[in-house]
Amino acid sequence: MDKSHFKEDTRYTVTWRDAATGKTRPANFHVLRTYEKFMIVRETSGGGLLRKIAYEDIERIVQEMPVDPAHRYKVPAALLDEKLWRDRSLMEHYFSSPALGK
């Protein structure tokens, strides 16, 4: 896979190879920002963490669904900066959606 397969503000269900364990597993995420070699996503299943995923780790896209503007998660631009993610692959951040009243 490469950058052209993914769009920002879109939810995906994929199979990907977890770099930490080397195992293939399913994942659901909302793409927040795309860069040349990786993307920053918010997990929608599990803990809701911010994660850096390299495009080559994605094995297959199962489902793609655009996110309605009212249900998009707002993240400070500083947390999505490419330089911040140079040496990290995971970050915990509290999210709320304006449409959900939180």
Side-chain angles (χ1 to χ4, degrees):
M1 298 274 166
D2 61 15
K3 183 179 177 180
S4 66
H5 292 97
F6 296 93
K7 295 177 248 169
E8 294 181 4
D9 294 317
T10 304
R11 289 188 183 167
Y12 291 91
T13 300
V14 300
T15 56
W16 71 292
R17 188 176 51 260
D18 188 351
T21 63
K23 295 181 180 180
T24 300
R25 65 183 186 111
N28 296 305
F29 55 76
H30 174 165
V31 175
L32 299 170
R33 183 79 47 94
T34 57
Y35 292 107
E36 208 52 44
K37 296 183 179 183
F38 63 90
M39 60 186 152
I40 307 300
V41 304
R42 178 194 181 263
E43 294 178 343
T44 56
S45 58
L49 302 171
L50 285 176
R51 184 180 293 274
K52 175 175 84 172
I53 299 179
Y55 300 116
E56 61 265 8
D57 289 345
I58 304 294
E59 294 183 357
R60 184 169 69 105
I61 297 174
V62 177
Q63 184 178 17
E64 176 180 340
M65 185 175 62
V67 178
D68 182 39
H71 291 94
R72 292 180 182 163
Y73 292 96
K74 304 299 180 193
V75 180
L79 292 181
L80 299 176
D81 187 34
E82 187 173 11
K83 293 176 186 175
L84 179 69
W85 288 92
R86 188 172 297 143
D87 296 329
R88 70 177 67 201
S89 60
L90 196 64
M91 180 188 296
E92 188 171 351
H93 178 70
Y94 176 77
F95 288 91
S96 67
S97 170
L100 301 177
K102 294 182 179 181

